[in-house]
Amino acid sequence: MAKKQKNSKALSEKEGVDQPTRLNPLASERLKKNKTPSTEVIIEGLLSGNKTHLSRALTRIESTAEKHQKQGRQIIEACLPHANKSIRIGVTGVPGVGKSTFIESFGKLLTSKKNKVAVLTVDPSSSLSKGSILGDKTRMEELVKDPNAFIRPSASGDSLGGVAQKTREAIILCEAAGYNNIIIETVGVGQSETAVHSMTDFFLLLKLAGAGDELQGIKRGIMEMADAIVINKADGENIKAAKLAKTEFNRALHLYPPKESGWKPKTLMCSAIKNKGIDKVWQLIEDYLEATKKNDYFQHKRTEQNKFWLLQTIENTLKRDFYNNPKVKGELEKQLALIEANKTSPFEAAANLLSLKG
Amino acid sequence: MAKKQKNSKALSEKEGVDQPTRLNPLASERLKKNKTPSTEVIIEGLLSGNKTHLSRALTRIESTAEKHQKQGRQIIEACLPHANKSIRIGVTGVPGVGKSTFIESFGKLLTSKKNKVAVLTVDPSSSLSKGSILGDKTRMEELVKDPNAFIRPSASGDSLGGVAQKTREAIILCEAAGYNNIIIETVGVGQSETAVHSMTDFFLLLKLAGAGDELQGIKRGIMEMADAIVINKADGENIKAAKLAKTEFNRALHLYPPKESGWKPKTLMCSAIKNKGIDKVWQLIEDYLEATKKNDYFQHKRTEQNKFWLLQTIENTLKRDFYNNPKVKGELEKQLALIEANKTSPFEAAANLLSLKG
């Protein structure tokens, strides 16, 4: 195993830019010869903590090309023995609540404590408008320059299931690359929170004071998942309203049934932009970890998540194998044309295609 | 084919309550002999417009038992030639906006115009809290008693995909039973709107005046999908605020790029509880239908939806077939136990299970 890469800051994060690196000599040699490094080289580089190789590996698992997907699976397999050694924190909140600013401030605190921080996002954006509004590196100016932080925008995909699967795999890769704090950011729209909740140890809901939607029914499912509610922008003239909101949220949280974890969700205030109260958030997470490791809930939750991800992995693989079948590829075009001509129903067309499976 | 059933009101809607009905004599005879009517009898009854048989058919497609699922598929196949002859209207809005009251008022208007109305719901509720908050018949007291209306609560399921698939099938069955207006209700949480949008011709967003969340980024995806925004509870002291909201929404709607349909989304006000403005909503939908049938968008959209549902049907079937494989059933238990004991990863366990597919 190559020893930990120290100067990863010096490397370009961009895929395809090959500079000589401090990998072990053999890998370095291979890198010079091939413009596209081999899967083996990527794995070696990733495990040594090299950001360029980590980025490359993530590009492989996000690719829709069969060749890259196969490489992606090899990389995941190689990373599995090195994964699981991190704390996974989910962060959610509606647009405007200050998620990026919070993550920047929180991430800087963590790296200052000698942690390595990876920021991933789950953003199955509007199928109409396309494009991710989260994980934009330009919104985390300082963190992106930090050699001990790694920020990756959301994988794209045409379904939440696909995006979530890729994020789940990205966690494995980041952990294998030595990141011991994984932050997963998502936007407050219901289903994506459930996905992020299913892959994190601690779930943090960011809120604003006086935003009017605090106790709406629609937010209940998300409030129910939260291990902490953090009221952001608690500064200047906002402090009074933030304190009021804190009391209200606390009251609301008491109405929920006790959590399986035994943990009582807490409410905190912070000002991410002024870097205030961020250390208290980290302290709270440390308290949570201590409590849930003591009562074994931490491992229990990960086990349940693993069961869930077993099923998700199976389902995504079934789809991929089916659509990659050459017979299916040809017939799919034909059946779509028949639907186009209004000469078949989706149910009949599906039956025809499924008969090719055997 | 049995002639249209006239006295469906007299029949109990509850599954399993078998009363002699005005089915054709043969079917009636069969019904007496068997406590559980055959698939053939259910199909005959459904196509004659019998609500009891329609309910039975829906129970079949919602069942997780393989036997019932098979019957469900037979029923769908028999219904397909009789489907597609309806207008499908999606209705969404946050809890408290008055969806049930609106649908009750709107549904009554439609039945008064000699239409048959089916109300279905898509509600992939919080995986934590379980249970559906939509489609509760007690919330539509009058409509539920109307012989020309049929109300069915959301199918349950552990994924939005599963729930949506069942609702999509329910549309086919309701259409085959003679319902020419299908209303699909959903709650305002993002992903479920996308699902409902993908199975309806017209998408209606209910809003309240002054609720504070009008122009929040989070609602953009949903506003973008809407063909009409209807401001409910525009009565008494609310009228002024409703008018203001109408102007604001109109302004916001103008900021979106033109729709593929050529239709410019409109904003209306109504008071469902006072039965005011509901006829204007129907008028608007008729205008939409006229415009989009003229420019062929109506059929184009249904074709695109059919393509989407082809893929959805395939994916749901792949999953069902895999998990129903006896070898997989046995091994799945074992792999889950290994995960429980932390002796394998979800990815390795999935690979083991998928190797049994052959």
Side-chain angles (χ1 to χ4, degrees):
Chain A
M1 193 64 53
K3 62 177 197 276
K4 285 275 178 209
Q5 177 75 14
K6 292 291 183 208
N7 67 336
S8 55
K9 195 184 178 184
L11 292 170
S12 164
E13 269 186 68
K14 278 194 197 130
E15 171 74 20
V17 178
D18 291 318
Q19 299 170 316
T21 69
R22 287 200 200 159
L23 295 175
N24 67 40
L26 183 65
S28 180
E29 197 52 37
R30 281 195 220 114
L31 204 55
K32 273 183 215 159
K33 279 187 192 160
N34 301 295
K35 276 221 155 181
T36 308
S38 72
T39 306
E40 213 184 344
V41 169
I42 293 176
I43 292 170
E44 263 176 20
L46 185 157
L47 291 176
S48 74
N50 180 299
K51 281 188 192 180
T52 308
H53 284 301
L54 174 56
S55 289
R56 279 197 181 100
L58 290 169
T59 305
R60 296 293 177 283
I61 64 169
E62 286 166 7
S63 169
T64 54
E66 172 62 13
K67 184 186 148 201
H68 290 157
Q69 286 181 358
K70 206 180 145 200
Q71 292 173 344
R73 289 196 293 280
Q74 287 169 351
I75 296 170
I76 292 168
E77 211 166 298
C79 286
L80 279 171
H82 308 276
N84 287 315
K85 291 162 198 155
S86 82
I87 302 151
R88 304 165 184 163
I89 301 164
V91 174
T92 192
V94 297
V97 79
K99 283 190 293 299
S100 312
T101 318
F102 176 80
I103 292 171
E104 165 129 312
S105 184
F106 185 60
K108 291 293 290 175
L109 176 77
L110 292 176
T111 58
S112 78
K113 289 176 185 288
K114 310 274 177 231
N115 293 295
K116 287 185 74 180
V117 177
V119 181
L120 306 170
T121 60
V122 171
D123 178 17
S125 287
S126 154
S127 55
L128 291 168
S129 66
K130 310 272 187 217
S132 171
I133 55 163
L134 298 178
D136 180 354
K137 291 181 184 184
T138 60
R139 300 177 311 136
M140 300 181 195
E141 278 184 19
E142 285 188 49
L143 200 60
V144 78
K145 288 183 244 155
D146 192 322
N148 289 313
F150 179 81
I151 302 175
R152 181 87 178 180
S154 183
S156 62
D158 48 14
S159 74
L160 174 59
V163 173
Q165 169 88 9
K166 285 170 187 173
T167 310
R168 164 78 186 168
E169 293 168 354
I171 294 175
I172 303 293
L173 268 48
C174 290
E175 289 176 345
Y179 291 88
N180 65 333
N181 286 153
I182 315 283
I183 299 174
I184 323 266
E185 178 189 13
T186 195
V187 75
V189 292
Q191 291 295 112
S192 62
E193 264 91 357
T194 308
V196 170
H197 186 249
S198 74
M199 58 177 90
T200 52
D201 305 311
F202 188 91
F203 197 67
L204 190 156
L205 174 58
L206 278 182
K207 280 282 189 181
L208 291 178
D213 63 348
E214 284 95 349
L215 301 174
Q216 271 190 46
I218 192 67
K219 303 289 176 195
R220 275 192 55 191
I222 297 168
M223 292 241 324
E224 231 173 311
M225 289 192 287
D227 296 304
I229 293 178
V230 177
I231 300 155
N232 192 19
K233 305 191 185 177
D235 46 40
E237 289 178 359
N238 273 332
I239 287 185
K240 206 176 152 187
K243 281 185 182 162
L244 203 67
K246 187 174 183 291
T247 312
E248 269 182 41
F249 284 130
N250 259 330
R251 197 179 299 138
L253 284 173
H254 281 300
L255 300 174
Y256 293 119
K259 291 203 163 204
E260 203 191 340
S261 56
W263 173 256
K264 286 194 181 121
K266 307 284 189 301
T267 313
L268 290 175
M269 299 190 293
C270 80
S271 167
I273 206 155
K274 305 214 163 167
N275 239 327
K276 278 187 186 162
I278 305 295
D279 49 342
K280 294 228 172 93
V281 176
W282 177 236
Q283 182 57 53
L284 189 75
I285 295 175
E286 285 196 310
D287 291 348
Y288 174 87
L289 294 172
E290 200 194 323
T292 56
K293 282 182 175 173
K294 207 169 164 186
N295 70 11
D296 283 335
Y297 179 78
F298 185 87
Q299 187 51 49
H300 168 72
K301 188 177 182 185
R302 286 215 170 171
T303 300
E304 290 306 306
Q305 290 177 339
N306 281 341
K307 289 183 191 168
F308 175 73
W309 284 102
L310 164 62
L311 304 181
Q312 293 291 306
T313 306
I314 285 174
E315 287 156 23
N316 285 320
T317 309
L318 288 175
K319 280 200 269 183
R320 196 191 61 218
D321 289 353
F322 182 78
Y323 291 121
N324 282 338
N325 175 339
K327 279 190 283 181
V328 168
K329 274 186 185 169
E331 188 62 25
L332 182 58
E333 292 305 312
K334 286 185 204 161
Q335 292 295 331
L336 287 170
L338 286 171
I339 285 181
E340 187 84 50
N342 207 15
K343 282 183 178 154
T344 189
S345 76
F347 301 99
E348 286 167 288
N352 275 323
L353 282 161
L354 287 160
S355 72
L356 301 173
K357 192 169 52 135
Chain B
M1 193 64 51
K3 63 176 197 278
K4 286 270 179 212
Q5 178 75 13
K6 293 291 185 207
N7 66 337
S8 55
K9 193 183 175 182
L11 291 170
S12 163
E13 270 185 69
K14 279 199 196 122
E15 171 74 21
V17 178
D18 292 318
Q19 299 170 318
T21 70
R22 286 196 203 161
L23 296 175
N24 69 39
L26 185 62
S28 178
E29 196 55 36
R30 281 196 218 110
L31 203 53
K32 273 182 214 157
K33 278 187 191 162
N34 300 297
K35 277 222 152 178
T36 307
S38 71
T39 306
E40 214 185 343
V41 169
I42 293 176
I43 293 170
E44 265 177 18
L46 185 159
L47 292 175
S48 74
N50 180 298
K51 282 189 193 180
T52 307
H53 284 301
L54 174 56
S55 288
R56 279 200 181 97
L58 290 169
T59 305
R60 295 293 178 281
I61 63 168
E62 287 166 7
S63 169
T64 53
E66 173 62 13
K67 184 186 149 200
H68 289 157
Q69 287 182 357
K70 205 179 147 202
Q71 292 173 345
R73 289 196 292 279
Q74 287 170 353
I75 296 170
I76 292 168
E77 212 167 296
C79 285
L80 279 172
H82 308 276
N84 287 316
K85 292 161 197 155
S86 83
I87 302 151
R88 304 165 185 164
I89 301 164
V91 175
T92 192
V94 295
V97 78
K99 283 191 294 300
S100 313
T101 318
F102 176 81
I103 292 171
E104 165 129 313
S105 183
F106 185 61
K108 291 293 292 176
L109 176 78
L110 292 176
T111 59
S112 78
K113 290 177 185 288
K114 309 274 177 235
N115 292 294
K116 287 185 75 180
V117 177
V119 180
L120 305 170
T121 60
V122 172
D123 178 17
S125 289
S126 154
S127 55
L128 289 169
S129 66
K130 312 271 188 218
S132 172
I133 55 162
L134 298 177
D136 180 354
K137 290 180 182 182
T138 60
R139 299 176 311 137
M140 301 181 196
E141 278 185 19
E142 285 188 50
L143 200 60
V144 78
K145 288 183 239 154
D146 191 322
N148 290 313
F150 178 81
I151 303 175
R152 181 88 179 179
S154 182
S156 61
D158 48 15
S159 74
L160 174 60
V163 173
Q165 169 87 9
K166 285 170 187 173
T167 309
R168 165 77 186 169
E169 293 169 353
I171 294 175
I172 304 293
L173 268 46
C174 289
E175 289 176 345
Y179 292 88
N180 64 334
N181 286 152
I182 315 283
I183 299 173
I184 322 266
E185 179 189 14
T186 195
V187 76
V189 289
Q191 291 294 114
S192 62
E193 265 91 357
T194 309
V196 170
H197 185 249
S198 74
M199 58 176 90
T200 52
D201 305 311
F202 188 91
F203 196 68
L204 191 155
L205 173 59
L206 280 182
K207 279 282 190 180
L208 292 178
D213 63 347
E214 284 94 351
L215 300 175
Q216 270 190 45
I218 192 67
K219 303 289 175 194
R220 275 191 58 190
I222 296 168
M223 292 239 329
E224 230 173 312
M225 290 192 286
D227 296 304
I229 294 178
V230 178
I231 300 154
N232 193 21
K233 305 191 185 176
D235 47 38
E237 290 178 0
N238 274 331
I239 287 185
K240 207 175 152 188
K243 281 185 182 162
L244 202 68
K246 188 174 183 293
T247 312
E248 268 182 43
F249 283 130
N250 259 329
R251 198 179 300 140
L253 285 173
H254 281 299
L255 300 176
Y256 294 119
K259 291 203 163 204
E260 202 191 339
S261 57
W263 173 256
K264 287 195 179 117
K266 306 283 189 300
T267 312
L268 291 173
M269 297 190 293
C270 81
S271 166
I273 207 155
K274 302 211 164 165
N275 239 327
K276 278 185 185 162
I278 304 295
D279 50 342
K280 294 228 172 91
V281 176
W282 178 235
Q283 183 57 52
L284 188 75
I285 295 175
E286 284 196 312
D287 291 349
Y288 175 88
L289 293 172
E290 202 194 323
T292 55
K293 283 182 174 173
K294 212 171 163 185
N295 70 10
D296 284 335
Y297 179 78
F298 185 87
Q299 187 51 49
H300 168 73
K301 188 177 181 183
R302 285 213 171 175
T303 300
E304 290 304 307
Q305 290 177 340
N306 281 340
K307 289 182 192 169
F308 175 73
W309 284 104
L310 164 61
L311 304 181
Q312 293 291 307
T313 306
I314 286 173
E315 288 157 22
N316 285 319
T317 309
L318 288 174
K319 278 199 272 183
R320 195 191 61 220
D321 289 353
F322 182 78
Y323 290 121
N324 281 337
N325 175 338
K327 277 190 283 179
V328 169
K329 274 186 187 170
E331 188 62 25
L332 182 58
E333 291 304 313
K334 284 184 205 164
Q335 292 295 330
L336 287 170
L338 286 172
I339 285 182
E340 187 84 51
N342 207 16
K343 283 185 179 153
T344 188
S345 77
F347 300 99
E348 286 167 288
N352 275 323
L353 283 161
L354 287 160
S355 72
L356 302 172
K357 193 168 54 136

